[in-house]
Amino acid sequence: MPLAHIHILEGRTEDQKRAVIEKVTAALVEALDAPQQSVRVLIQEVPKTNWGIAGQSAKDLGR
């Protein structure tokens, strides 16, 4: 059972997350020849204050 665990900054729309799930699933099916029903995609949204880039939080950088 392939599992893709994706960390993204908070703030994406449901449609964007739906698209990620669909496209990642399709990529794993193609690359691994895995049955679509066995693929799992987990999206974890991270608060911008908890995501560091070059020593600063994403929030402080305006991301």
Side-chain angles (χ1 to χ4, degrees), residues 23-53:
K23 292 178 184 209
V24 169
T25 297
L28 288 171
V29 167
E30 180 183 339
L32 301 177
D33 196 27
Q36 183 173 350
Q37 298 80 4
S38 71
V39 176
R40 306 292 186 263
V41 179
L42 173 62
I43 296 176
Q44 184 170 3
E45 293 186 279
V46 178
K48 294 178 180 185
T49 55
N50 294 359
W51 190 291
I53 303 167

Side-chain angles (χ1 to χ4, degrees), residues 5-42:
H5 190 167
I6 301 169
H7 294 82
I8 59 174
L9 286 173
E10 64 186 350
R12 301 321 200 287
T13 67
E14 282 189 36
D15 285 340
Q16 289 173 317
K17 291 182 276 188
R18 187 177 294 112
V20 168
I21 291 169
E22 290 173 5
K23 292 178 184 209
V24 169
T25 297
L28 288 171
V29 167
E30 180 183 339
L32 301 177
D33 196 27
Q36 183 173 350
Q37 298 80 4
S38 71
V39 176
R40 306 292 186 263
V41 179
L42 173 62

